[in-house]
């Protein structure tokens, strides 16, 4: 799913200069543009254009025609009842922490732009999420907001065994003499003083002094076999990447590199151009003199030395495999005959009366109908929802992505070894601007997102959208001979899209009038293919050349901390079972079914495969409802989901022990806030967070529960994945839905329904419950999408922070 | 799911006259209104109003404001390339067959309105679907259309052992001397001369001379225990229904009857008012003198005689259970506080340029983009699609509903015994008018549907809708640092909704620009509940009185006759399996995964449970594609599905042997066109179609395959099912999707996509591929839905047919 990690953000001019090997931070931070010379002077202007273009009070609704819909504005601001203690640090807090860190001589930090492989740098400055204990004391009681602390990660590269250092810096604001740093360890299962080894500290050395030298040594062979060469020069015609994660067996650090072709023109199709030549090296330690080249692989023949490989290549019976070259099959633009009726504008969604929800733009606090929640955003996993209340009661303390695995398998070592744990790259930095009218309806309300990198706070404009829509089917209906009753199904969605290298993940949280909440992921973008030679057992051949749609599993882990009428909850498993019963009224035994109702007792039973005959509900057994049943919310898969096919993956070892099941239940602890760590890939045998360690037999009845569920897809790409996978079947979703939670269906509250009485051939009465019809017209021109103003990736504020320049304020674009 | 079968179409005035016991045909035919005095003179007027209201050239788009969207009309007519040989009989053909049948003295037929329980009547006159062999000869060759024959079912009630007679009447048109009738047997597994026993021939006698007498004998007890009485009079305050199907053990015909309360006011909530009193009778044979009352059941105590029951009731320690009475919890109208922002009109779908598809209104032939197909409609199962072509090649010969089972379980004999096989009632007669703007977008194109009953052809206006919509997520996208590419996801849907008693099934066939087709079912309407007393193992208590959300399974069987590049196809099962492998390049074994590709060999392996690690494709191994792979279409569940929990159901015996698995594959035979028969419930041990008999070990490689898949839900209703189940989670779906079928993704053909290049902080280029922007405005008033014209259920044409009166033409409303 990922792949070309350090390529995707580079500009074409830089790519021509062979930047792919020049940005060690890319692999680590997944951020690129910052080293380029984006003209700072242009930014205010762009920002202004943007503000003109998509202000919430702007335009798809408002029209200068008679009878146009009243512009009630796209949203009404509203104040959050409490501070958003989850959202993140302010720009000023970040700048203060950065200043404070540089002022600590014991940290020996170097500004990133000036750093070599042997300098210490700041990798991350973010809000350290408050402990749930402290957060609830504030949210539900009279306590002040939890003390704010920064979560800092340093890259300590000045030593022989480089590592990442997780620190707590606080309290904030950072003030010399008051604020201190301490190792961050308590939220990780590995107790190592907040240290994780860094296998990428010598990234630049590896590429320039090792990989390029090897690939240059066979330039004549690669020109012949795979149509180009990679020598580390600006004229390279091939790309070379290393596998992720490294082989870490027996204490060694081993890399496999693979050659890829460059796409033609503008398209990002490099992951469709694998060339089938691989080489292995042991790069353990920091001394290149100790590194060892270990062989070539071509057409499933392993050559231990370059000499051996060269001799084989020179022999007359050497067998060559086809070269993959780019073509229209890898390009996403319109192709093929235009269908005549396709040219006309298709049906579209409009919002005649503007938004029917409110947003506190500073607090990222959202209210839609009887739902309300806070939004947060972080580097590792992007957007989370917090303190989701429904009809005034909290139902979710936290809901958000934890980690996304893309695990491949193949006959070759590169794809076989690939098991991307995408939070390493981070979802936050790759949550790009959404395309209005395409990614989200044209009337959507947008929020910006920010993330830290290289002493700056960086903002993606319009990277979260919020909108209502009508899914073209009703929520409820019933017909009789006398009347029909139908209710519109208006769904409220919060969405962002993160493109991690080749793949685009769309995350949507969907709220329904019946009290249900859906968590929905779709995937599009480029597959990471492999060379089809010898890979018939691992994928389909999908081009006329030698591209295999390399099989892989996506497993995407989420945390769902449900709180049903308080934190003390229990999971009920209600199973429909076949049975043979004899009743008071039956003489013979009858084959029928009944319910088995069980409570989940301990974490020993907390790992679950979805059973289609079982219903899983989080209930509160201390709050029996007026009918004698337990109120709760049910969780169920609503599209296909996936856990990992592979058992005990050699690539992953202990780095992702949440992949084994569909749904996992643990007791909540402030010490177990996340199922993964972004650097688990750096030490797969002994990672900072081993999810397996969460399971220690704790009692799960009437205690604070956390659900960890996996979405995902088993993906065996076929020709229809060229040029891009489409969202149609690359889809996974769960829903949580009220279960004996209220006395009746909550959607009866909506006025967006109609009852029509009829009889004798006439409609006698139409009841519409006080809906206000919008007697008006709406503009529907797609030109109003204003795509000319799409910026992709802008707004940079440099360290040190200049609070006197308002253009650099990150936040709500409408402000 | 069903239940109040003979109630739902009765007008209030008739219900007050206690019609529930007066219409034996309702139970058989599921049709009611025809005996009422709908003023015929009013129909032309209504028809005309209708035509004014929702002509395809009508008005949601067109506006008298400057800049309004061009009215390109809601559809463009287009001619089908061939006749629709699947659609059904013309009204004239039906009238001719009816005339011809009445002219056959050996059939001894009586007009339905004049018939007693001992007369023979016509139950059905429909088109006998052509054999696939004959149809393909016409569709693909130069053969003339297949000979048209009528499928006639007679109710032969003039004999001691009443039966339904399935006949072929043909050739058509029916002409005395040329046309003949022969028993229809070859399409059923039971070879009984087309005869099925009829257990309902004495329906009226049963209710008036048996059930009412029994219930009257305990009127004092029922007044006390369950708050009313049923004596067969017009003043009855309770309703009594018999279980479906009858107990048919040991050659006996045994019924259980149950008491229900009447709802207050207008609502159809009777299935929420079960009163917990049941009685059993053996009604074998046609002589009421031979029938035997066998006992009462109340509060899980069985009383063999009324005397015993009465004595218990009179005893001081008799335990009474709560009475269920109607209330707002059973009413669908708006209830509860109105949410302020809910009053404004929500986002809605509009079609700025009208429909972008064509319909041949006579042939029911539809073309959307590169898809085209015919629609048919029949009494038993409603709407089917035929000869679905994609890019000029047939991919589906037939796709349609076969049967829907709603199987309950409970501690009481009524719910325990209930296993509705809904084609008994028929989906065709219950495919009601759709509510514009609610059931389907307001710009939808509608088709009418017709069905035969009681010597008339009856039409439901606007009961099929066709529309495109934007689901608020794109079809494809990819972002890089240089550009973003996004494609709109325009989906074309064909939908109808059938309300079988208490439950509303929404059937949607969805077509995607990538070549995928979805089959989607949602369920709403009233649950059939049971009395909560003693039913804790079978459902939740969901009211303060004594209503149990009675557990049940919906299993809904479809036929999918796929033809991939010809009729000779094979199913491939591609399984992702964990494995441990040692490679040329690995010294140690590696835990990884690979593909196992198997072909389905014979019908012995043709019954499949969905395995999440297996991909199921229908491929053509004789048509290897240019890359060496087999072209095909994959079938996959895209929402939850269900097969029956119960093993060897005592209610069903052999009547529904398709319930056991998720996906079943058989060799196509003209003798096996449908998995069920509408009267399978009449003889569950030896039904006319026993699906199990389709499986006889035939080879399935490169032969004509038919898939039979089940959608459905395991439903344990909870409080959120009151008053109605909502569509949100009552959802089941599969999709078929191209699989190595074309060289690349077909959606690249659409112009509804955009590429935005950017860099250096600017969008440098926006490419929109020739899309025509609609620079215009669209009216969005919900008042344009014209719901005042909703008719529900109209247009009756009496036998004998009068071809001189055009108002009675059934068909396309725009004609």
């Amino acid at each position: 799913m990922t792949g070309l990690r350090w390529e995707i953000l580079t500009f074409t001019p830089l790519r021509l200069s062979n930047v792919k090997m020049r940005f060690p931070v890319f692999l680590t931070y997944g951020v690129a543009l910052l080293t380029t010379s984006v003209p700072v002077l242009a930014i205010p202007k762009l920002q202004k254009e943007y503000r003109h273009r998509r202000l919430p009070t702007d335009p798809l609704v408002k029209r200068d025609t008679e009878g146009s819909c009243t512009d009630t504005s796209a949203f009404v601001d509203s104040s959050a009842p409490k501070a958003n203690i989850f959202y993140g640090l302010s720009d000023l807090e970040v700048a203060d922490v950065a200043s404070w860190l540089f002022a600590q001589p014991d940290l020996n930090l170097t500004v990133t732009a000036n750093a070599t492989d042997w300098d210490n740098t700041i990798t991350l400055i973010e809000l350290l999420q408050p402990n749930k204990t402290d957060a609830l004391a504030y949210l539900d009681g009279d306590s002040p907001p939890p003390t704010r602390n920064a979560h800092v990660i340093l890259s300590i590269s000045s030593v022989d065994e480089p590592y990442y250092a997780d620190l707590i810096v606080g309290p904030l604001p950072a003030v010399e003499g008051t604020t201190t740093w301490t190792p961050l360890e308590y939220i990780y299962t590995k107790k190592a003083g907040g240290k994780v080894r860094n296998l990428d500290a010598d990234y630049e050395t590896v590429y320039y002094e090792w990989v390029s030298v090897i690939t240059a040594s066979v330039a004549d062979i690669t020109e012949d076999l795979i149509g180009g060469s990679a020598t580390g020069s600006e004229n390279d015609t091939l790309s070379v990447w290393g596998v992720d994660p490294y082989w870490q067996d027996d204490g060694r650090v081993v890399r496999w590199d693979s050659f890829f072709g460059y796409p033609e023109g503008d398209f990002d199709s490099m992951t469709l151009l694998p060339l089938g030549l691989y080489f292995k090296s042991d790069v353990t330690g920091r001394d290149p003199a100790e590194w060892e080249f270990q062989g070539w692989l071509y057409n499933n023949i392993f050559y231990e030395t370059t000499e051996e490989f060269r001799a084989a290549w020179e022999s007359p019976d050497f067998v060559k495999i086809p070269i993959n070259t780019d073509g229209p099959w890898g390009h996403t633009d319109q192709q093929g005959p235009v269908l005549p009726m396709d040219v006309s504008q298709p049906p579209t969604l409009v919002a005649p009366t503007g938004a029917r929800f409110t947003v506190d733009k500073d607090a990222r606090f959202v209210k839609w109908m009887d739902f309300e929640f806070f939004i947060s955003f972080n580097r590792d996993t992007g957007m989370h929802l917090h303190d989701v209340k429904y009809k005034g009661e909290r139902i979710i303390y936290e809901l958000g992505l934890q980690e996304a695995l893309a695990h491949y398998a193949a006959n070759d070592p590169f794809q076989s070894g690939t098991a991307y744990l995408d939070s390493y790259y981070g979802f936050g930095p790759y949550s790009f601007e959404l395309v209005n009218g395409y990614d989200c309806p044209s009337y959507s309300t947008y929020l910006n997102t920010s993330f830290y990198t290289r002493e700056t706070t960086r903002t993606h404009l319009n990277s979260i959208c919020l909108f209502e829509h009508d899914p073209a089917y009703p929520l409820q209906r019933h017909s009789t001979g006398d009347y029909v009753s139908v209710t519109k199904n208006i769904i409220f969605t919060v969405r962002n899209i993160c493109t991690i290298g080749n793949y685009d993940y769309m995350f949507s949280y969907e709220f329904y009038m019946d009290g249900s909440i859906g968590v929905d992921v779709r995937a599009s973008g480029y597959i990471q293919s492999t060379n089809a030679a010898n890979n018939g057992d691992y994928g389909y051949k999908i081009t006329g050349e030698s591209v295999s749609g390399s099989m892989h599993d996506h497993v995407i882990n989420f945390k769902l901390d449900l709180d049903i009428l308080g934190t003390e909850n229990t999971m009920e498993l209600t199973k429909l079972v076949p049975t043979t019963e004899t009743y008071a009224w039956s003489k013979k035994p009858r084959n029928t079914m009944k319910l088995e109702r069980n409570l989940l007792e301990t974490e020993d039973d907390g790992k679950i495969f979805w059973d289609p005959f079982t219903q899983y509900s989080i209930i509160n057994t201390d709050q029996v409802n007026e009918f004698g049943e337990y109120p709760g919310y049910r969780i169920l898969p609503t599209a296909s989901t996936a856990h990992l096919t592979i058992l005990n993956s050699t690539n992953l070892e202990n780095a992702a022990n949440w992949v084994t099941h569909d749904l996992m239940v643990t007791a909540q602890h402030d010490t177990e806030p996340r199922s993964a760590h972004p650097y688990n890939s750096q030490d797969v045998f002994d990672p900072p967070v081993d999810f397996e360690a969460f399971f220690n037999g704790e009692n799960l009845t009437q205690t604070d529960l956390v659900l960890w569920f996996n979405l995902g897809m088993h993906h065996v790409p076929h020709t229809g994945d060229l040029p891009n996978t489409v969202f149609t079947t690359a889809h996974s979703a769960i829903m949580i839905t009220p279960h004996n939670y209220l006395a009746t269906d909550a959607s009866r509250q909506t006025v967006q329904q109609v009852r029509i009485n009829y009889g004798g051939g006439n409609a006698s009465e139409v009841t519409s419950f006080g809906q206000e019809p919008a007697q008006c017209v709406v503009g529907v021109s797609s030109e109003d999408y204003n795509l000319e103003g799409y910026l992709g990736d802008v707004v940079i504020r440099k360290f040190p922070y200049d609070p006197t320049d308002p253009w650099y304020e990150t936040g709500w674009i409408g402000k």
Side-chain angles (χ1 to χ4, degrees), chain A residues 158-181:
Chain A
S158 60
V159 294
D160 281 341
E161 295 192 347
Y163 62 91
Y164 297 105
D166 272 287
L167 310 182
I168 304 172
V169 175
L172 301 186
V175 176
E176 201 56 49
T178 307
T179 296
T180 61
W181 69 265

Side-chain angles (χ1 to χ4, degrees), chain A residues 132-373:
Chain A
K132 184 174 182 181
T133 316
D134 303 326
L136 291 187
Y138 167 65
L139 294 171
D140 295 342
D142 296 327
S143 299
T147 302
R148 289 172 77 77
N149 289 294
H151 174 199
V152 168
I153 301 184
L154 306 179
S155 174
I156 304 298
S157 300
S158 60
V159 294
D160 281 341
E161 295 192 347
Y163 62 91
Y164 297 105
D166 272 287
L167 310 182
I168 304 172
V169 175
L172 301 186
V175 176
E176 201 56 49
T178 307
T179 296
T180 61
W181 69 265
T182 49
L184 174 59
E185 181 184 83
Y186 81 101
I187 59 174
Y188 305 133
T189 60
K190 180 178 182 177
K191 302 307 178 188
K195 296 181 182 178
V196 193
R197 70 177 183 183
N198 176 2
L199 302 183
D200 279 319
D202 299 300
Y203 183 88
E204 196 162 343
T205 308
V206 164
Y207 268 91
Y208 278 89
E209 299 180 23
W210 184 256
V211 167
S212 295
V213 173
I214 293 168
T215 57
S217 75
V218 293
D220 54 338
I221 302 180
T222 60
E223 287 287 355
D224 175 56
L225 289 185
I226 55 178
S229 61
T231 63
S233 85
E234 294 191 359
N235 303 319
D236 277 357
T237 49
L238 298 178
S239 180
V240 181
W241 326 332
V243 73
D244 175 10
Y246 289 94
W247 281 14
Q248 298 166 43
D249 215 7
D250 300 325
R252 309 304 299 175
V253 178
V254 172
R255 56 184 296 129
W256 277 95
D257 285 88
S258 173
F259 291 82
F260 286 77
Y262 279 117
E264 297 167 358
D266 293 334
F267 293 96
D268 194 35
S269 50
M270 191 183 283
T271 52
L272 298 179
L273 304 173
L275 295 169
L277 178 60
Y278 316 94
F279 60 95
K280 180 184 180 188
S281 6
D282 184 323
V283 293
T284 309
R286 302 201 71 178
D287 181 0
E290 301 287 319
W291 298 350
E292 185 183 19
F293 174 81
Q294 296 188 326
W296 294 95
L297 185 81
Y298 180 79
N299 196 17
N300 206 32
I301 301 171
F302 185 68
Y303 306 94
E304 293 201 352
T305 65
T306 299
E307 294 66 37
E308 199 183 322
F309 178 39
R310 181 174 293 280
W313 169 62
E314 289 170 344
S315 73
D317 55 348
F318 186 79
V319 179
K320 299 178 183 179
I321 58 178
I323 298 173
N324 288 316
T325 53
D326 198 23
W329 53 272
H331 302 168
T332 48
D333 276 3
Q334 196 280 333
Q335 296 178 41
V338 172
L339 299 165
M341 299 183 100
D342 186 36
V343 175
S344 302
Q345 192 180 354
T348 190
L349 284 151
V350 296
T353 58
R356 308 190 313 152
F357 54 91
T358 64
V359 181
D360 179 329
K361 60 185 184 296
D362 295 314
R364 264 81 171 172
F365 176 73
V366 179
K367 288 182 76 164
W368 175 73
M369 301 300 157
D370 267 353
F371 282 104
E372 60 185 65
F373 55 88

Side-chain angles (χ1 to χ4, degrees), chain A residues 396-663:
Chain A
I396 296 175
Y397 175 73
E398 183 186 1
L399 170 58
L401 176 69
Q402 297 296 297
E403 184 57 282
L405 168 70
H407 199 312
Y408 294 74
N411 190 60
D412 66 76
F414 190 82
Q415 288 296 95
S416 179
T418 298
Y420 295 123
L421 289 165
D422 280 335
S423 80
Y424 178 73
Y425 305 98
F427 285 82
Y430 292 106
S431 181
F432 291 152
E433 181 172 4
L434 298 160
V435 180
N436 192 39
Y438 287 80
D439 286 325
C440 312
S442 60
Y443 51 81
S444 300
T445 298
Y446 291 91
L447 296 174
N448 302 337
T449 60
S450 296
F451 56 99
Y452 174 90
T453 186
R454 297 170 69 84
E455 292 88 34
T456 72
T457 296
R458 192 176 168 76
T459 296
H460 282 125
L461 300 172
N462 310 313
S463 42
I464 293 175
C465 65
L466 303 96
F467 62 90
E468 286 187 313
H469 86 286
D470 181 329
Y473 69 87
L475 179 57
Q476 167 276 340
R477 82 171 322 285
H478 185 56
S479 285
T480 75
D482 296 330
Y483 75 93
V484 62
S485 157
V486 202
T487 305
K488 284 196 182 185
N489 192 8
I490 305 302
I491 300 169
F492 178 66
T493 300
V494 183
R495 172 177 297 165
N496 76 331
I497 299 178
C498 301
T499 304
I500 315 295
N502 50 311
Y503 246 102
D504 300 61
Y505 296 97
M506 182 177 72
F507 300 99
S508 304
Y509 296 103
E510 298 172 342
F511 297 82
Y512 291 74
M513 289 299 293
D514 62 23
S516 299
I517 302 176
V519 181
D520 188 285
V521 176
R522 292 183 189 263
S524 188
Y526 282 96
I527 61 168
Q528 179 169 312
S529 66
T530 192
N531 195 287
N534 312 296
N535 265 319
D537 287 344
Y538 299 89
Y540 301 110
K541 187 159 176 287
I542 57 176
T543 66
E545 297 181 338
S546 192
V547 179
S548 167
S550 185
M551 69 185 293
H552 56 281
D553 277 0
H554 298 287
V555 189
I556 305 167
N557 189 245
F558 284 82
K559 175 184 182 179
L560 171 60
D561 183 344
L562 278 166
D563 287 342
I564 304 300
L565 302 174
T567 56
E568 297 190 354
N569 296 157
T570 303
M571 175 173 275
E572 182 171 29
L573 297 89
T574 304
K575 185 165 187 174
L576 295 88
V577 293
T579 184
T580 301
E581 301 278 329
T582 302
Y583 298 98
W585 43 268
S586 68
K587 292 175 181 166
K588 291 187 185 177
R590 294 173 53 78
N591 295 331
T592 183
M593 60 183 170
K594 62 194 301 187
L595 298 178
E596 281 180 2
R597 298 172 69 167
N598 292 299
L599 304 181
L600 187 65
E601 295 285 342
T602 73
E603 286 178 345
D604 292 339
D605 299 317
K607 297 181 183 175
I608 294 169
F609 295 113
W610 293 123
D611 168 24
F613 295 100
T614 301
Q615 298 188 355
Y616 306 86
S617 303
I618 297 296
I619 60 173
N620 189 324
T621 60
D622 294 329
Q623 302 276 352
V624 177
N625 75 8
E626 53 186 313
F627 317 135
E629 302 283 358
Y630 301 130
Y633 255 74
R634 179 182 170 201
I635 180 169
L636 70 161
T638 47
S640 63
T641 65
H643 59 271
L644 186 62
T645 303
I646 299 169
L647 304 176
N648 302 314
S649 163
T650 300
N651 296 337
L652 291 173
E653 298 295 345
N654 296 312
N657 278 324
W658 43 267
V659 298
T660 57
H661 290 72
D662 297 319
L663 175 66

Side-chain angles (χ1 to χ4, degrees), chain A residues 99-141:
Chain A
S99 297
W100 184 89
L101 287 167
F102 279 105
Q104 308 308 308
D106 53 339
L107 297 176
N108 185 25
L109 293 171
T110 301
V111 172
T112 306
N114 304 328
T116 70
D117 280 2
W118 286 82
D119 288 315
N120 301 338
T121 54
I122 303 172
T123 295
L124 180 74
I125 301 174
E126 269 193 357
L127 176 69
L128 181 70
Q129 286 289 313
N131 292 332
K132 184 174 182 181
T133 316
D134 303 326
L136 291 187
Y138 167 65
L139 294 171
D140 295 342

Side-chain angles (χ1 to χ4, degrees), chain A residues 50-64:
Chain A
Y50 183 80
R51 292 164 62 98
H52 173 69
R53 163 165 77 89
R54 207 173 299 155
L55 277 177
T57 49
D58 234 25
L60 284 197
V61 169
K62 198 172 174 182
R63 277 273 164 179
D64 292 329

